[in-house]
Amino acid sequence: MKLNPSIIRVLSLDPNATTVTAHGSSGFNATAKISTTLKDGTRKNFFMKTAPGKDAEIMFRGEHASLNAIHNAVPTLCPASLATGASEDGTAYLVTDFLDMSPHSSAADSKHHSGMSLAAKIAKLHTTPAPTPNGHSRPMFGFPETTCCGDTAQPNDYRESWADFYAQNRLLAMLDKCERNNGKDVELRSMVERIVSAVVPRLIADDRLNDGKGVTPVVIHGDLWSGNKGKGRIGGKGPVEAVVFDPSAVYGHNEYELGIMNMFGGFGKNFFDEYHKICPKTSPVDEYDDRMQLYEL
């Protein structure tokens, strides 16, 4: 494979000391490993995704911001994203730290291990308040970029209310997309609008959660299922850590993440027991299961 000159420039690589080979697989883009020798003689690897078109640019910008939001909160949970953009021929790209999914680490590596399980890392992520966006006086629900769950673009305009964000930016936005792709469905629209007008405020309105205090927006992965987690070395060196990848992040209610995890499976009782010791269920606790069902829509 030939490495695009745009990526060589943005990463300040020596083209004569750099190779690129196919690596891994993806349903939406081409994936590759970039290997280079730095000026000090050390070897360094990067992971790269490429795909043609404007839609891929949007997808990669969202993933770039998502990875860095998660990495900034819990550095050992996912690789940092280093660059995203488009080359002269219109090919979009995303370059991140290399994630070596090797199953074993040496005894020498173990002393540098974070010592945190995946449940502890996700709980730390979900107890780290979102940053305050530019132009706002406090953390908001939303995200600075459009993100994609699969190939579905998700609008993330900032909103002060979590209930408003979930109703408008997730339920109604997805309904609108379904109707654009498949035509109008009166029964489906009526059902979703009833959920938005009655169920959402009943279960997740600000005055309903945490004794009327509402919830603080935190970073959530946004597409966390068994296929987007594993064990690996970030940067291709050091100890094997519990890691996640392919995020579609948003600053939102932590339990929204748990609804996605419940829906797709791969996280057992032990995971949730450990998680909730660090990050307790939102009150009212007796409506937790109802909120999970709402977040699985």
Side-chain angles (χ1 to χ4, degrees), residues 49 58-68 81 94 246-247:
K49 293 181 178 182
I58 293 171
M59 179 184 293
F60 290 158
R61 281 200 303 269
E63 185 172 350
H64 172 81
S66 296
L67 284 167
N68 288 336
S81 183
L94 173 75
D246 291 348

Side-chain angles (χ1 to χ4, degrees), residues 3-280:
L3 188 60
N4 192 291
S6 299
I7 299 173
I8 291 174
R9 287 195 301 271
V10 75
L11 295 179
S12 300
L13 301 177
D14 178 357
N16 296 316
T18 303
T19 60
V20 57
T21 54
H23 181 85
S25 61
S26 170
F28 303 104
N29 39 69
T31 54
K33 178 180 180 180
I34 302 171
S35 300
T36 192
T37 301
L38 303 178
K39 291 180 180 180
D40 64 2
T42 60
R43 295 288 293 171
K44 185 173 178 62
N45 297 321
F46 305 91
F47 179 71
M48 178 179 66
K49 293 181 178 182
T50 57
K54 293 294 184 181
D55 288 346
E57 285 188 61
I58 293 171
M59 179 184 293
F60 290 158
R61 281 200 303 269
E63 185 172 350
H64 172 81
S66 296
L67 284 167
N68 288 336
I70 295 170
H71 184 83
N72 289 341
V74 188
T76 62
L77 183 53
C78 77
S81 183
L82 306 174
T84 188
S87 57
E88 290 82 355
D89 65 359
T91 300
Y93 61 81
L94 173 75
V95 182
T96 75
D97 281 332
F98 188 75
L99 181 56
D100 182 359
M101 301 298 286
S102 300
H104 303 295
S105 59
S106 68
D109 287 337
S110 62
K111 63 182 179 180
H112 301 295
H113 192 281
S114 69
M116 296 177 69
S117 65
L118 181 61
K121 290 184 181 185
I122 298 299
K124 181 178 180 181
L125 183 70
H126 288 173
T127 52
T128 302
T132 299
N134 292 335
H136 297 273
S137 60
R138 61 185 179 86
M140 302 287 285
F141 298 100
F143 203 63
E145 296 285 349
T146 297
T147 51
C148 295
C149 189
D151 61 351
T152 300
Q154 301 179 123
N156 290 317
D157 319 70
Y158 285 119
R159 296 183 187 270
E160 294 186 0
S161 161
W162 169 244
D164 287 347
F165 180 88
Y166 185 66
Q168 300 295 327
N169 295 57
R170 289 299 179 265
L171 297 180
L172 290 174
M174 294 304 104
L175 173 63
D176 290 342
K177 182 176 178 63
C178 287
E179 291 185 339
R180 288 195 300 272
N181 292 342
N182 304 301
K184 291 189 178 297
D185 184 319
V186 174
E187 184 177 356
L188 177 62
R189 174 162 287 277
S190 176
M191 179 180 66
V192 174
E193 289 180 345
R194 287 201 305 273
I195 292 170
V196 165
S197 63
V199 181
V200 168
R202 171 64 178 77
L203 289 177
I204 61 172
D206 290 343
D207 61 2
R208 186 68 186 167
L209 299 176
N210 286 328
D211 299 317
K213 298 175 184 177
V215 294
T216 299
V218 297
V219 186
I220 65 173
H221 179 286
D223 190 18
L224 190 51
W225 63 292
S226 59
N228 283 345
K229 69 180 178 73
K231 293 183 180 296
R233 295 182 177 92
I234 296 175
K237 58 184 179 181
V240 171
E241 295 271 0
V243 293
V244 298
F245 36 89
D246 291 348
S248 177
V250 68
Y251 300 133
H253 183 198
N254 68 292
E255 290 182 352
Y256 174 51
E257 183 105 277
L258 307 185
I260 296 171
M261 295 161 65
N262 272 323
M263 178 167 54
F264 290 108
F267 301 87
K269 181 179 183 297
N270 290 342
F271 176 96
F272 287 105
D273 286 348
E274 181 182 356
Y275 171 90
H276 283 303
K277 287 180 181 178
I278 304 168
C279 187

